[in-house]
Amino acid sequence: MSRIGKKPIPVPDTVTVTIEPEVVRVAGPGGQLEERINRDISVEKSDGELLVKRPTDRGEHRALHGLTRSLIANMVEGVTTGFSKTLEIQGVGYRAQLKGRDLELALGYSHPVPIKAPEGITFEVPSPTRVVVKGISKQLVGEVAANIRKQRPPEPYKGKGIRYQGERVRRKAGKTGAK
């Protein structure tokens, strides 16, 4: 049996979970999230915990078992503590600044690159070379951070670009002048 799928999900007192046949809604101090689940997978609530169960040991049910449990656990964590991703900007003249709720990046192009903050996402710029993306949905936080990184991915020769905090960029040796 799936080690992830059979693990119970602890639900804090501040979080309310509504289980319908194909939808699980989670509301807490951070906000409200909902996720559609497969009709074969059942979610049961008992004394402050959620249990995800599958009907058979077929491959598709085993895959959905762990996935559903992870999605619901991420929703519970999101509405209680939230998620964040930090991006670092490296390069001469590369910087970020807030314009209202949105982000404006100077990345060596002839124009600034605006990034609109979707609903449920907030940006923080503690320093001009660091951007923090925060929100309650793990998927949305990761997607917005990936879109920001995509504007100027780190290049292997000088290491300039936008990278995740702690990301290692493999460096290459440049051209040599020998003939």
Side-chain angles (χ1 to χ4, degrees), residues 11 18 22 30 35 46-47 49 52 63 65 79 93-94 115 117 120 132 134 137 139-140 144 146 148 170 174:
V11 179
T18 311
E22 288 186 36
E35 184 74 43
S46 59
D47 51 272
E49 288 183 336
V52 179
H65 189 210
V79 297
Y94 289 15
I115 306 279
V132 181
K134 289 187 172 185
S137 169
Q139 185 218 337
L140 192 58
V144 169
I148 293 171
R170 289 204 43 205

Side-chain angles (χ1 to χ4, degrees), residues 20-118:
E20 293 172 18
E22 288 186 36
V23 178
V24 175
R25 288 186 178 83
V26 179
Q32 182 174 352
L33 292 170
E34 70 176 53
E35 184 74 43
R36 292 184 57 78
I37 60 170
N38 192 296
R39 66 170 56 97
D40 294 338
I41 303 295
S42 63
V43 180
E44 298 169 3
K45 186 172 185 178
S46 59
D47 51 272
E49 288 183 336
L50 291 174
L51 283 172
V52 179
K53 297 196 172 163
R54 65 178 187 228
T56 67
D57 273 345
R58 285 186 19 224
E60 62 192 76
H61 289 152
R62 292 201 327 249
L64 287 169
H65 189 210
L67 170 74
T68 305
R69 191 255 176 221
S70 293
L71 290 174
I72 295 171
N74 286 340
M75 290 192 325
V76 171
E77 185 182 340
V79 297
T80 52
T81 59
F83 293 100
S84 71
K85 265 210 188 283
T86 305
L87 296 154
E88 296 171 343
I89 303 173
Q90 291 189 352
V92 178
Y94 289 15
R95 65 185 169 281
Q97 64 184 34
L98 282 175
K99 290 270 191 207
R101 284 191 62 230
D102 300 333
L103 192 65
E104 191 172 86
L105 304 170
L107 299 173
Y109 298 120
S110 62
H111 57 282
V113 180
I115 306 279
K116 284 218 166 291

Side-chain angles (χ1 to χ4, degrees), residues 121-144:
I121 293 290
T122 57
F123 295 124
E124 287 179 14
V125 183
S127 72
T129 59
R130 181 158 281 160
V131 176
V132 181
V133 181
K134 289 187 172 185
I136 60 171
S137 169
K138 188 173 188 176
Q139 185 218 337
L140 192 58
V141 167
E143 188 178 335
V144 169

